[in-house]
Amino acid sequence: MGVIQDRAMARLADPASLGALLEPRARFLVERTHELEYERIDSVAALRVRKVAAQWPLFPPDSRRGNWSQVVPGTTLADFSWSGEAAEPVWIDVLAELEIDVVAETDPGGLDSLVVKAVDEYATLDEFRAQFRFLDLDAFMRGHGLVTVEDLRESGEYLRTEVRLRRPPVFDPGHPANRRTVAVDAAVVVGAVDDVAGAVRAARLVAAAARDRPLSPGGFGARVAPYALVAAFPAPVPPPPPAPPGLTQAQIESLLDGAGIAALFLT
């Protein structure tokens, strides 16, 4: 790592500086680490950096599997396996523990009522059909070999279930109950604007090394990734002309968004 990257790492290791850089991408960090099935983020209220660690080693799990066999004095076949941590770590340039305050709408779901009634008052097929909102009566009768309303009546007893879902209250962004604090760990790798592929590879290695790490439960959504991946790009030293043009910041951000990595541009 060169001087430019070292200086960038030192700046990113400052909680105030890192927090200011990450705050515009706070929603992205939450959405990349949590599956929101019943929640919808309305806005981000604040981002705080609780703790930072520079050059954090991440040891990916390593496993080996093989077999041993012998012929004499008797045929024997055995399998063996070994698991542990890799000898060489994957390095996270800056590991940050974040708290992100979000204003979110939550739909807890649930039933308001459930009513089951017997269907026994009908004289024609149309009267029977009218008592159900979702029923292909013709297909039902064909599938059961029924032709007339008498066949339908004699084939069995029928029940109609009415389910009413609970309506969530009107969303109020200002209500304290709709403000949630989400814990996110951000793994920052320092890259260079003339080697975006290298930054993507470094972030992918971090994700792969952390793939089997246990996920801590949280009270917001479902945690699906241990780290939010971030690639930080320090301002490059102007190269001597002529030099081929690199990717623009917009192109880098678009490329990394598609790869699930938040891009930061240091000035």
Side-chain angles (χ1 to χ4, degrees):
M1 182 174 289
V3 175
I4 296 177
Q5 285 77 12
D6 287 343
R7 290 177 177 174
M9 184 187 63
R11 181 179 174 187
L12 293 167
D14 175 63
S17 177
L18 180 61
L21 290 165
L22 289 176
E23 190 165 10
R25 309 308 306 273
R27 181 195 293 261
F28 182 86
L29 301 180
V30 173
E31 292 174 343
R32 295 304 302 182
T33 53
H34 292 74
E35 182 177 305
L36 307 182
E37 185 175 0
Y38 305 108
E39 298 87 0
R40 180 189 65 84
I41 298 177
D42 180 73
S43 61
V44 175
L47 180 147
R48 295 178 298 278
V49 180
R50 296 182 60 250
K51 183 179 179 182
V52 293
Q55 293 302 310
W56 185 265
L58 182 62
F59 292 90
D62 187 24
S63 62
R64 296 289 186 271
R65 182 178 296 275
N67 59 71
W68 176 83
S69 62
Q70 73 175 32
V71 178
V72 287
T75 302
T76 302
L77 179 64
D79 294 327
F80 65 88
S81 63
W82 171 88
S83 61
E85 292 184 338
E88 293 295 330
V90 173
W91 291 97
I92 300 173
D93 291 325
V94 175
L95 179 62
E97 296 180 9
L98 312 176
E99 286 183 343
I100 301 176
D101 295 334
V102 299
V103 177
E105 181 179 10
T106 302
D107 180 5
L111 297 179
D112 185 58
S113 64
L114 177 67
V115 179
V116 181
K117 297 180 180 179
V119 180
D120 51 12
E121 296 182 2
Y122 58 94
T124 66
L125 293 177
D126 287 338
E127 290 182 3
F128 183 88
R129 184 184 289 108
Q131 299 191 56
F132 296 91
R133 294 185 60 185
F134 307 101
L135 174 65
D136 188 341
L137 181 59
D138 296 333
F140 174 81
M141 295 187 67
R142 285 195 303 270
H144 291 80
L146 308 178
V147 178
T148 66
V149 67
E150 287 77 14
D151 296 337
L152 181 65
R153 193 185 307 278
E154 293 175 0
S155 66
E157 298 180 353
Y158 302 94
L159 301 176
R160 183 182 67 187
T161 303
E162 297 179 359
V163 178
R164 294 183 181 273
L165 299 179
R166 182 180 301 144
R167 290 180 175 271
V170 177
F171 176 62
D172 178 11
H175 197 285
N178 293 324
R179 183 162 176 148
R180 314 287 292 277
T181 299
V182 187
V184 175
D185 292 335
V188 185
V189 295
V190 178
V193 293
D194 58 352
D195 185 19
V196 179
V200 174
R201 286 194 295 267
R204 292 292 196 199
L205 287 175
V206 170
R211 182 176 52 227
D212 297 325
R213 295 177 69 86
L215 301 176
S216 58
F220 185 76
R223 189 79 174 265
V224 295
Y227 299 126
L229 303 177
V230 181
F233 296 91
V237 175
L247 298 180
T248 65
Q249 290 188 4
Q251 290 173 321
I252 294 174
E253 185 174 277
S254 176
L255 176 63
L256 267 67
D257 279 359
I261 304 167
L264 302 181
F265 298 93
L266 281 61
T267 57

